[in-house]
Amino acid sequence: MFIDRSHLLLNNPERLHYGVCVTDMDGDGEFEWLIAGFGDANRAYKWTGQHYDDIAPLALADKRRQAIGLAACDIDGDGREEIYILNTDTFGGAKRFADRLFAFGDDWVDLYSLPHNQAALNLTAGRSVVALDRTGNGLYGFFVANYGGPMRLYELDDDGILLDVAPQAGLNMVTGGRGLVALPIVSDRMDIFAGNEQGPNFLFRNEGDGTFSEIASKVGIGDPFEHVRGIAVLDTNGDGRFDLVYGNWEGPHRMFVQSSDGIWDDIAPPAMANPSRIRTVIAADFDNDGYEELFFNNIGEPNRLFAQRNGDWVPIDMGDAEEEDGLGTGAAIADLDGDGRLELLIAHGESSPQPLSLYHTPKNSNHYLRVLPLTRYGAPARGALVTLKTASRTQQRAIDAGSGYLCQMEPVAHFGMGQETVIESVTVRWPSGHVRQVDHPAPDQLLRIAY
């Protein structure tokens, strides 16, 4: 499946890296990879047409911190995404180095460095961060899964001051926070699934008024004796409901499927459930055949790739990305070179420095459509639901707001179409509930859809 293209990453020495996110760093309308550097510089790789160059400005490189988790979204309505960089210098509880929250003005500025935001500093060891538009107004907040301290939700008030509104939203739980995703899971707005360690998972249902109710154990996905890392969301059986696939650290991995009565059932086949030292889990259609694959990134043991064959999820050959000796810590997907096929970037580190890895898939004749919905302010509409309808089937994707553990994928709904060339419609539903339909768009393009 995958071909090693790591030689395209210029200046790629062995280092300790963790999370990866995809955002438009320089405001040119194209996305870049941003990689967390632990005790070294954060990296920002841009596609030049021939290779990837590190364009991280000095402020964002921030080489004196210990970055692990990343996410991007537009919190101030200027049409550009801010970047949250989660720093963790201890396993759990209180930490010395606060997180960063960079906004672009004349240059990148850490909002936490401003005097009026000092009271909002996150000085608890966090593990993941996700973008959240809880009310559907197009202005996002950053929700942080802390370990051994209350979870945080940072939003800007009308005066431009950062506030932790997690208590008002009903999100200030204390647990061993690990992975996060935010999208319409059980409501029409952005819900949150929080995978935890040393305690049950949380499923926060959006009540539509800016508050949330926690229902994980009630619907059967509390899983209190396992330790979640990566999380992927997809419609595994084509019933129009999103399902959860997540990896438990050295425990059985799960494929929790929603049923019509609201209870979730774990249907992970034995090969998928087989425990591993899991980090990131990604659902994506890498070969554009119209069906998503599931990639499991492990640390210190081979990675795994699963695909649907005759209705069953089975392991398939992943080629170069198996990485038997890889120390995977994070991974993300994007199509930065614009060829209609997804690239896979894997970060390594933690126990020993290793270079980044970049993988592509072989060219084929399959068609695709890529959809980039925008907020009313012109930024990527993370958390929006995109539905693609053709004569043979209906597919749906959620624009990624955060991908489980430490990472965030590109804010694009990528649909493989196999040999189909006629699209009946593309429908976008924003977190506000606003819906727009585009009829009969041409395939093999990136379709930008304004609010």
Side-chain angles (χ1 to χ4, degrees):
M1 174 72 78
F2 293 108
I3 300 169
D4 190 352
R5 302 286 296 280
S6 303
H7 65 279
L8 297 177
L9 299 168
L10 301 186
N11 185 25
N12 182 23
E14 294 185 348
R15 289 184 179 175
L16 298 178
H17 292 112
Y18 275 86
V20 182
C21 86
V22 183
T23 185
D24 181 3
M25 296 281 303
D26 53 8
D28 67 350
E30 305 294 334
F31 296 114
E32 289 83 41
W33 306 105
L34 180 62
I35 305 104
F38 189 81
D40 211 319
N42 302 318
R43 323 295 297 278
Y45 277 105
K46 183 177 186 63
W47 176 246
T48 67
Q50 296 181 318
H51 48 250
Y52 293 88
D53 271 344
D54 184 0
I55 63 165
L58 187 62
L60 278 174
D62 201 22
K63 65 184 299 180
R64 292 183 177 87
R65 294 285 171 110
Q66 295 175 325
I68 62 168
L70 304 161
C73 63
D74 181 12
I75 68 171
D76 57 8
D78 67 352
R80 288 192 64 166
E81 293 195 305
E82 281 67 53
I83 298 171
Y84 197 105
I85 301 181
L86 195 155
N87 294 289
T88 297
D89 50 64
T90 185
F91 180 80
K95 65 183 180 184
R96 292 180 300 143
F97 295 117
D99 300 339
R100 302 286 203 188
L101 204 176
F102 287 105
F104 189 83
D106 295 330
D107 197 356
W108 290 98
V109 176
D110 175 20
L111 297 184
Y112 284 127
S113 70
L114 304 179
H116 56 266
N117 290 329
Q118 290 295 296
L121 287 175
N122 183 33
L123 291 171
T124 303
R127 287 298 181 272
S128 292
V129 56
V130 69
L132 179 66
D133 179 0
R134 64 185 172 115
T135 63
N137 66 359
L139 298 174
Y140 291 82
F142 286 105
F143 182 57
V144 182
N146 280 329
Y147 197 108
M151 294 180 166
R152 312 277 190 180
L153 174 57
Y154 291 108
E155 296 177 351
L156 286 178
D157 70 7
D158 293 338
D159 297 317
I161 297 173
L162 279 171
L163 300 176
D164 174 20
V165 299
Q168 299 95 296
L171 295 172
N172 59 327
M173 311 285 274
V174 177
T175 186
R178 284 290 183 177
L180 295 171
V181 291
L183 68 156
I185 304 173
V186 291
S187 79
D188 291 334
R189 294 184 179 268
M190 290 187 75
D191 309 305
I192 305 166
F193 177 72
N196 299 319
E197 184 172 278
Q198 308 294 347
N201 301 324
F202 300 144
L203 176 57
F204 294 107
R205 182 179 59 202
N206 193 320
E207 298 299 330
D209 59 0
T211 67
F212 296 79
S213 298
E214 202 289 297
I215 62 169
S217 296
K218 185 182 300 184
V219 301
I221 56 176
D223 211 8
F225 304 112
E226 302 301 334
H227 311 300
V228 176
R229 295 297 190 270
I231 308 164
V233 182
L234 72 163
D235 180 2
T236 61
N237 52 13
D239 66 355
R241 291 185 288 261
F242 281 120
D243 308 310
L244 293 167
V245 176
Y246 64 79
N248 283 315
W249 178 259
E250 297 184 330
H253 306 321
R254 307 296 191 190
M255 177 178 278
F256 273 114
V257 175
Q258 290 197 65
S259 61
S260 58
D261 62 3
I263 304 300
W264 298 59
D265 300 308
D266 180 18
I267 63 166
M272 184 182 294
N274 187 29
S276 68
R277 296 168 59 85
I278 189 68
R279 301 309 291 254
T280 309
V281 181
I282 297 174
D285 189 352
F286 291 105
D287 56 7
N288 286 343
D289 68 349
Y291 295 88
E292 292 168 283
E293 289 80 45
L294 282 165
F295 173 74
F296 285 65
N297 177 219
N298 295 310
I299 181 169
E301 60 183 89
N303 299 325
R304 304 176 188 173
L305 186 66
F306 297 88
Q308 289 194 52
R309 298 289 185 264
N310 299 316
D312 297 320
W313 287 92
V314 298
I316 62 171
D317 181 20
M318 69 172 61
D320 294 339
E322 185 175 11
E323 292 194 344
E324 288 189 31
D325 300 316
L327 302 173
T329 50
I333 54 168
D335 177 20
L336 300 193
D337 61 9
D339 67 355
R341 289 173 291 130
L342 293 169
E343 297 101 54
L344 170 68
L345 183 74
I346 302 178
H348 308 92
E350 189 164 297
S351 53
S352 182
Q354 286 185 342
L356 304 166
S357 297
L358 179 70
Y359 298 98
H360 214 321
T361 54
K363 291 182 180 180
N364 58 43
S365 61
N366 290 333
H367 298 280
Y368 67 91
L369 184 71
R370 293 169 51 74
V371 183
L372 172 55
L374 303 175
T375 68
R376 66 191 73 188
Y377 304 105
R382 295 189 185 266
L385 178 65
V386 184
T387 304
L388 173 79
K389 187 176 181 180
T390 64
S392 67
R393 58 193 295 256
T394 298
Q395 301 185 56
Q396 66 175 6
R397 307 277 189 272
I399 302 300
D400 193 67
S403 297
Y405 191 51
L406 308 178
C407 299
Q408 188 185 56
M409 310 296 144
E410 62 173 358
V412 177
H414 180 96
F415 296 97
M417 296 173 52
Q419 294 301 299
E420 288 195 277
T421 59
V422 177
I423 301 170
E424 293 185 5
S425 65
V426 170
T427 303
V428 177
R429 190 181 76 212
W430 279 263
S432 65
H434 177 64
V435 175
R436 182 175 173 194
Q437 180 172 306
V438 178
D439 293 325
H440 307 298
D444 302 327
Q445 65 161 323
L446 173 64
L447 182 64
R448 298 174 188 263
I449 301 182
Y451 184 81

